[in-house]
Amino acid sequence: QVQLVESGGGLVQTGGSLKLSCAASGRTFNRLAMAWFRQAPGKEREFVGGVSWSGGSTYYADSAKGRFTIFRDNAKNTVYLQMNSLKPEDTAVYYCAADFMGGGSAQRNYEAWGQGTQVTVSS
């Protein structure tokens, strides 16, 4: 079992930045592939970005490339999502997720999910 708790969401203006954190407990964090997903009102949850267990490999949805950076600190059992140049369409609840296999962009790969943190980008 792994428990995930996100934090760092909030209200920001267009063009602003936020850094989300996801603290993990209950399982060996440095063996987990981690990812961020988001769900906007009335839309399906979608993949944002992922990071390998070592942090050496990251991958992103097209909507996040060039603006978002995912990274992890295994000593702190935490994964982060740095979001820059935010747009109103980034408004969503952001979730982190953990997988003890290969990760990837598919939600079905992930065994554990956090409760989500709201990000609102005003225009």
Side-chain angles (χ1 to χ4, degrees), residues 8-14 17-18 86 91 118-123:
L11 174 65
V12 64
Q13 291 185 335
T14 296
S17 298
L18 279 176
L86 283 162
T91 295
Q118 176 71 47
V119 172
T120 303
V121 184
S122 63
S123 57

Side-chain angles (χ1 to χ4, degrees), residues 4 6 14-15 17 25 28 32 34 42-43 49 51 71 75 80 87 105 109 111 120 122:
L4 305 173
E6 301 98 334
T14 296
S17 298
S25 62
T28 304
L32 297 172
M34 301 295 295
K43 295 187 177 181
V51 60
F71 57 101
Y80 304 93
K87 307 173 182 179
S105 61
N109 293 349
E111 292 81 23
T120 303
S122 63

Side-chain angles (χ1 to χ4, degrees), residues 79-94:
V79 62
Y80 304 93
L81 182 66
Q82 176 67 48
M83 304 186 293
N84 299 327
S85 302
L86 283 162
K87 307 173 182 179
E89 51 263 45
D90 295 317
T91 295
V93 177
Y94 283 71

Side-chain angles (χ1 to χ4, degrees), residues 35-39 45-49 93-97 104-108 110 113:
W36 288 91
F37 292 80
R38 68 185 183 185
Q39 187 168 20
R45 189 159 56 183
E46 65 178 6
F47 172 76
V48 175
V93 177
Y94 283 71
Y95 300 89
C96 69
S105 61
Q107 296 184 52
R108 64 181 180 274
Y110 291 86
W113 294 80

Side-chain angles (χ1 to χ4, degrees), residues 30-77:
N30 61 8
R31 296 180 183 177
L32 297 172
M34 301 295 295
W36 288 91
F37 292 80
R38 68 185 183 185
Q39 187 168 20
K43 295 187 177 181
E44 297 291 320
R45 189 159 56 183
E46 65 178 6
F47 172 76
V48 175
V51 60
S52 63
W53 62 270
S54 68
S57 176
T58 56
Y59 43 99
Y60 300 91
D62 287 344
S63 60
K65 288 179 182 176
R67 300 187 300 127
F68 294 3
T69 303
I70 183 170
F71 57 101
R72 64 192 295 162
D73 185 340
N74 285 348
K76 295 182 178 180
N77 284 7

